[in-house]
Amino acid sequence: MCTNIVYEWLKTLQLPQYAESFVDNGYDDLEVCKQIGDPDLDAIGVAVPHHRRRIHEAVRRLKEADETAAGLYFPLEPQP
């Protein structure tokens, strides 16, 4: 079994059974996972509706965390 950030993320969602399929389909990083949509879940093999909802909700939270963190960064060089 793969042990990486995606596995740990799926484990927190109580969906570690999909970890190998995620990695096999190129979803080996949370940045990539933020792009997951229904066609991706089909390709990965996530067919159970409440598992899909759980993943979609987790992806939404990942994106929100990015938006919140984006306010913490600022450019070091002056902007034109």
Side-chain angles (χ1 to χ4, degrees):
M1 175 52 58
C2 53
T3 54
N4 66 12
I5 190 70
V6 174
Y7 172 74
E8 294 300 324
W9 178 64
L10 289 167
K11 196 163 87 171
T12 66
L13 300 176
Q14 298 178 342
L15 299 171
Q17 67 270 32
Y18 297 112
E20 193 169 337
S21 292
F22 266 66
V23 172
D24 288 348
N25 282 279
Y27 296 94
D28 57 354
D29 183 271
L30 291 182
E31 286 301 314
V32 179
C33 289
K34 291 177 193 172
Q35 308 305 316
I36 289 176
D38 284 320
D40 305 300
L41 293 179
D42 292 340
I44 292 167
V46 182
V48 180
H50 68 274
H51 289 181
R52 293 171 77 94
R53 280 192 300 275
R54 204 179 301 166
I55 291 168
H56 280 305
E57 178 64 22
V59 168
R60 183 187 62 75
R61 287 192 309 267
L62 285 174
K63 289 178 181 178
E64 284 178 358
D66 264 4
E67 290 171 8
T68 303
L72 301 176
Y73 297 100
F74 54 92
L76 295 177
E77 298 178 10
Q79 299 297 306

